[in-house]
Amino acid sequence: MNEILITDSSQFENVIQNFEKSLAKIKEIFANERRNNEEINATDTWTSSTQEVIYRKQKELEENFTPIEEGLELYISFMRKTLEDYKKLEQTINRNAENNNFQLDVNS
């Protein structure tokens, strides 16, 4: 199993933002695909048994769009929560270090 090691919260924030931008693009692509499929649905330009088969197959594929979007949203939420927890941990460590500064000072 691969591990993700956060060493810089701002870089991890950038990773999350990139995922969010990618999700927005994916949603746009899926919306365009839905529109395109409706445009080939029994138009004056194309009406045939082949058109019907392609339309039905595309509709079947569209059923996967929502779970994909939801999965990516869940993953982004997980990364946001992980980042939030990491920042809280950093704050706690820094606060404890400050509170125990006198014990850490070798000159006292």
Side-chain angles (χ1 to χ4, degrees):
M1 184 172 167
N2 294 336
E3 292 182 14
I4 297 175
L5 180 62
I6 301 171
T7 57
D8 183 344
S9 59
S10 63
Q11 285 182 345
F12 194 60
E13 177 70 34
N14 289 337
V15 169
I16 295 169
Q17 289 172 356
N18 287 336
F19 266 92
E20 290 170 332
K21 289 175 188 174
S22 295
L23 175 59
K25 288 178 188 176
I26 289 169
K27 285 183 173 187
E28 183 180 336
I29 290 168
F30 287 167
N32 289 337
E33 285 299 310
R34 287 182 182 105
R35 272 192 301 279
N36 290 340
N37 193 41
E38 290 307 317
E39 288 179 8
I40 66 163
N41 184 21
T43 65
D44 293 337
T45 308
W46 190 21
T47 302
S48 69
S49 58
T50 303
Q51 170 271 321
E52 291 174 13
V53 169
I54 291 174
Y55 179 79
R56 278 196 314 270
K57 286 291 185 185
Q58 183 66 21
K59 283 306 235 185
E60 288 176 26
L61 288 173
E62 286 179 19
E63 293 174 10
N64 296 312
F65 293 175
T66 300
I68 290 169
E69 291 172 359
E70 290 172 351
L72 291 170
E73 288 169 349
L74 185 62
Y75 188 62
I76 290 168
S77 294
F78 168 75
M79 288 191 299
R80 284 250 170 247
K81 176 70 171 124
T82 301
L83 179 60
E84 180 184 316
D85 291 346
Y86 175 78
K87 287 180 177 180
K88 286 179 184 177
L89 176 64
E90 276 185 325
Q91 291 171 351
T92 300
I93 290 170
N94 290 337
R95 189 173 42 254
N96 288 343
E98 288 173 10
N99 289 343
N100 296 317
N101 187 30
F102 69 93
Q103 293 176 355
L104 299 175
D105 188 358
V106 293
N107 294 323
S108 47

